[in-house]
Amino acid sequence: MALTAFVDLSNGRIEVTPTDESLLQQFIGGRGYAAKLLSDQVTARVGPFDAENLLIFSSGPLTGTPWPTAARYTVTAKSPLTDAYGYANSGGFFGPQLRKAGFDALVISSSSPKPVYLLVDDQHVEIRPANDLWGKTTTETESILRERHPESRVASIGPAGERLVRIAAIINDYHRAAARTGMGAVMGSKRLKAVVARGKGGPGTYSAAFQTAVKEAHRKVAQNAGAEGLRKWGTVLLIRPKNIVGDLPAKNHQQAQVPFVDRIDAAAIARYTVTNKGCFACPIKCGRVSKIEAGPYACELEGPEYETTDALGPMCWLEDIEAVMYANLLCNQLGLDTISTGVVIAFAMECHEQGLLNDENLSLEWGDPHTVIGLVRQIGAREGLGDILAEGTKRAAERIGQGAERFAMQVKGVELPRQEPRIAKAFGLGHATSNRGADHLYALPTVDIAGMHDVARKLFPDLLPELMEVTSEQYKANLVVFSEHFCAVADSVGICKFSGPETYAVFPEDIASGLSELGPLFTTEELLTAGERIVNLERMFNVRHGLSRRDDILPKRFTEEPLQLYEYTGEGVAGLMAKPKETAGKPHLIDIAKMLQEYYTLRGWDDSGIPTPQKLKQLGLA
């Protein structure tokens, strides 16, 4: 029997109850279950830093089982960036420990008068004082707590979360981040420094049928070509091919290719790799432990991953990979979302380029490592210019004024992830429609851009060949709608998307089969309908908070400023591109309005982007 704990930090009251099984049948668990809890209890009058806002840690029914990549947990709250729906997701080993301790969710309300942490230990939750931990980095905090509580795992905030930096992350296992939408700031507002999880439980002996399903899923992941690439190189394998096609955002999306790709690509980063590393139950092991032996940036960290490398590198026109890695480590220690941090720094650099912004200690010039690292520190401490940038690009642009809004690469207040919408059209649409703000993992529509023709023939046989033309806007709405449902399923069952929507090593029917052997019975159709139900519930949360079609937009840079690409020759390493040759092809833009209307029609939403009463009734959300 799995449990849900309701924790009131203001008075120390803790209530542990059996989880309502009917809710798990409707919303699966993890992200879906948390969306239901948040929607039921947090109204539009509640602010992100108000005591009434909930902070929900949730695990999925597969989390902590032998199912491949079953390591994920979700943190959900009203977001300080969007003032609406927010959640973050992370891997590592914390989620499995939370699940093995017996919990579907920790529902945390109110604010503690003094710093505290939660100890979750085998179906028991306790509030402990954390005065000695307040002000410490995530690395220091985790080291102290894991020594204090052996065999535990820790999720904590750093100084950024304590100071309510709106782009603050929650860090677990030292280098894994529940990063997006400012969940670390919500945690800081509650004076909750950390959650410590330790459990020896779990579902017990697995049935033979479940073990068979697990074995087959592991086989499919092991044999998947996309998973093999991630295993060999990590996510930075994307850097070189993205540079070729013009999907490597650079200089705050003024460009989408860089001439210094050889200095930041997978081969360059591999020179610092010490060993591969994977999350719990992960056969892919895309993580990398990297070490810079000497020099001003000497350090050891897990990473960098693609999103971080692009955000702190090309987006800021920074070609020094050691500086990028060091900035990555600082973000982890301070508790900052590396994507939002890199984007807000690039925003500051373009504002400086346009004569709108200066700093007495930093040049704010493109490619200056001292500026990047200096601003990371300032943002985490809310000092100087960092105090403005700590608000995120949307609010920072409003404070700076003078047209700075045009340089803020955000949707619904959340900084764009590292795709170029004028080239990757499906991702562009997904950024706009995501209910948690600009996000690559809400839809993760990889089928076309990754050239998954076999997957397309299986899922979208009537939409070929047009669907697979990456820069075409035709049928991208169909891809995004399906992918949003699949991603909601992955987040809710507790698996990494690298085994599902990223690579399609496993399909929804595989997950439905395995999940049904554990408890609640799901057909493939029922599972995907649950994914659709979750997306619509999250949408209705935003509708209640005043969001509509006007918020499903991209920055004008992508709709009004044509992107010119460059051809690359095949000189150098066989099969890879090297030197720029000449400008090629017509300039690229994205027609988001046309795709958006098709998306709404497919979803059963009205022209304002609001689910119709008929759609809500169909999904049991009336």
Side-chain angles (χ1 to χ4, degrees):
M1 177 180 65
L3 305 169
T4 298
F6 296 88
V7 181
D8 187 326
L9 292 177
S10 65
N11 56 26
R13 184 180 299 130
I14 300 172
E15 181 182 1
V16 177
T17 64
T19 303
D20 186 338
E21 294 292 336
S22 67
L23 292 182
L24 298 184
Q25 190 68 52
Q26 287 181 289
F27 300 100
I28 306 174
R31 169 181 152 193
Y33 179 43
K36 174 62 173 170
L37 292 168
L38 190 76
S39 181
D40 283 352
Q41 299 185 51
V42 176
T43 65
R45 68 175 179 79
V46 175
F49 297 144
D50 289 350
E52 296 88 345
N53 192 14
L54 299 181
L55 181 70
I56 305 168
F57 286 76
S58 58
S59 63
L62 289 179
T63 305
T65 73
W67 189 271
T69 75
R72 310 298 291 191
Y73 75 98
T74 301
V75 186
T76 307
K78 187 170 183 177
S79 166
L81 285 173
T82 69
D83 285 320
Y85 183 74
Y87 78 89
N89 190 275
S90 181
F93 293 82
F94 174 83
Q97 284 297 316
L98 180 63
R99 186 71 182 175
K100 290 179 179 182
F103 289 94
D104 288 306
L106 309 175
V107 185
I108 303 161
S109 62
S110 301
S111 298
S112 173
K114 296 181 179 179
V116 295
Y117 71 91
L118 291 185
L119 175 61
V120 184
D121 193 356
D122 280 335
Q123 301 189 348
H124 177 75
V125 180
E126 183 180 343
I127 301 172
R128 295 282 188 93
N131 292 313
D132 61 324
L133 302 174
W134 205 252
K136 295 188 182 298
T137 66
T138 60
T139 303
E140 293 167 334
T141 299
E142 181 159 353
S143 295
I144 292 170
L145 289 174
R146 287 180 66 174
E147 182 177 356
R148 188 178 298 173
H149 305 287
E151 300 182 10
S152 68
R153 295 289 175 164
V154 178
S156 68
I157 58 171
E162 295 174 7
R163 293 180 171 90
L164 308 190
V165 173
R166 291 180 189 267
I167 58 174
I170 299 168
I171 305 295
N172 61 275
D173 298 285
Y174 294 107
H175 303 285
R176 291 284 166 175
R180 309 248 62 201
T181 72
M183 295 297 97
V186 177
M187 193 163 164
S189 74
K190 298 186 178 302
R191 295 186 183 86
L192 179 62
K193 180 64 176 178
V195 177
V196 181
R198 179 173 60 189
K200 299 178 182 178
T205 303
Y206 299 106
S207 69
F210 180 69
Q211 293 182 56
T212 299
V214 167
K215 185 177 180 180
E216 177 63 11
H218 271 277
R219 183 190 67 78
K220 290 182 176 182
V221 173
Q223 294 180 357
N224 181 269
E228 174 59 30
L230 290 167
R231 185 180 302 112
K232 184 176 181 180
W233 295 105
T235 59
V236 290
L237 69 85
L238 298 170
I239 291 175
R240 184 170 285 273
K242 276 177 168 283
N243 197 57
I244 294 167
V245 301
D247 186 29
L248 188 71
K251 237 177 187 180
N252 204 31
H253 284 276
Q254 294 182 64
Q255 298 184 34
Q257 295 163 304
V258 299
F260 50 82
V261 68
D262 290 338
R263 301 172 194 172
I264 62 166
D265 67 1
I269 293 172
R271 295 197 295 267
Y272 301 92
T273 300
V274 176
T275 185
N276 290 24
K277 187 175 183 180
C279 300
F280 176 90
C282 184
I284 299 175
K285 293 181 170 56
C286 70
R288 295 291 185 277
V289 175
S290 302
K291 187 173 184 178
I292 301 171
E293 294 287 353
Y297 306 125
C299 66
E300 185 172 323
L301 73 156
E302 185 178 338
E305 297 188 11
Y306 163 70
E307 294 278 331
T308 298
T309 302
D310 183 75
L312 296 169
M315 266 295 275
C316 302
W317 209 245
L318 178 59
E319 60 185 84
D320 186 338
I321 192 60
E322 293 190 358
V324 170
M325 293 164 67
Y326 188 74
N328 183 173
L329 179 63
L330 283 180
C331 285
N332 290 347
Q333 293 176 336
L334 295 170
L336 287 169
D337 175 359
T338 56
I339 297 175
S340 285
T341 300
V343 174
V344 78
I345 292 173
F347 160 78
M349 288 177 163
E350 185 167 7
C351 284
H352 172 73
E353 181 181 48
Q354 297 295 329
L356 307 181
L357 204 60
N358 286 294
D359 185 271
E360 61 182 13
N361 298 312
L362 302 170
S363 75
L364 302 187
E365 295 289 342
W366 295 113
D368 177 21
H370 301 294
T371 291
V372 172
I373 291 169
L375 285 179
V376 168
R377 295 186 190 278
Q378 284 190 23
I379 292 167
R382 272 193 176 272
E383 293 177 349
L385 177 57
D387 190 40
I388 297 175
L389 301 181
E391 293 292 291
T393 51
K394 182 177 185 290
R395 288 175 174 81
E398 291 168 353
R399 288 183 60 177
I400 295 167
Q402 306 175 76
E405 292 86 354
R406 193 173 186 97
F407 313 130
M409 299 297 107
Q410 55 83 23
V411 175
K412 301 181 181 76
V414 178
E415 288 71 27
L416 261 72
R418 306 297 76 236
Q419 295 79 41
E420 172 48 62
R422 288 166 290 191
I423 297 300
K425 299 296 180 68
F427 272 99
L429 176 61
H431 292 169
T433 60
S434 166
N435 286 321
R436 69 167 174 170
D439 185 38
H440 61 302
L441 293 173
Y442 195 87
L444 197 60
T446 58
V447 173
D448 61 338
I449 199 164
M452 298 184 198
H453 292 276
D454 290 344
V455 175
R457 282 190 288 270
K458 175 182 172 71
L459 298 177
F460 310 103
D462 298 332
L463 308 184
L464 301 177
E466 291 87 351
L467 175 72
M468 297 301 288
E469 295 176 10
V470 177
T471 58
S472 168
E473 289 153 3
Q474 187 75 8
Y475 300 131
K476 295 302 185 274
N478 301 71
L479 176 54
V480 169
V481 167
F482 178 85
S483 299
E484 284 183 340
H485 297 169
F486 194 6
C487 284
V489 167
D491 287 339
S492 298
V493 299
I495 66 169
C496 177
K497 295 186 177 97
F498 284 1
S499 66
E502 170 79 17
T503 63
Y504 283 85
V506 296
F507 282 80
E509 56 263 36
D510 299 308
I511 298 171
S513 175
L515 195 58
S516 294
E517 298 298 339
L518 273 185
L521 300 177
F522 284 98
T523 65
T524 303
E525 182 180 1
E526 288 170 340
L527 196 64
L528 288 171
T529 297
E532 182 180 11
R533 184 178 297 117
I534 293 162
V535 171
N536 277 265
L537 179 64
E538 293 166 347
R539 186 70 176 195
M540 288 307 300
F541 185 92
N542 284 350
V543 169
R544 284 191 353 224
H545 286 75
L547 274 63
S548 66
R549 182 181 186 130
R550 68 178 177 273
D551 302 288
D552 291 342
I553 59 172
L554 293 172
K556 291 182 179 179
R557 171 149 291 165
F558 306 118
T559 59
E560 298 179 359
E561 299 179 23
L563 176 68
Q564 183 69 66
L565 299 183
Y566 295 83
E567 285 185 351
Y568 280 69
T569 69
E571 299 170 5
V573 181
L576 299 178
M577 301 298 182
K579 300 177 181 178
K581 185 179 181 182
E582 60 185 15
T583 59
K586 64 181 181 180
H588 297 269
L589 291 169
I590 183 171
D591 184 356
I592 190 66
K594 178 178 180 293
M595 289 192 292
L596 199 59
Q597 191 58 54
E598 293 172 353
Y599 174 87
Y600 290 161
T601 300
L602 288 169
R603 280 230 164 272
W605 297 355
D606 66 21
D607 290 344
S608 297
I610 298 174
T612 62
Q614 294 86 353
K615 173 54 68 175
L616 295 177
K617 183 178 181 181
Q618 174 191 336
L619 294 171
L621 295 173

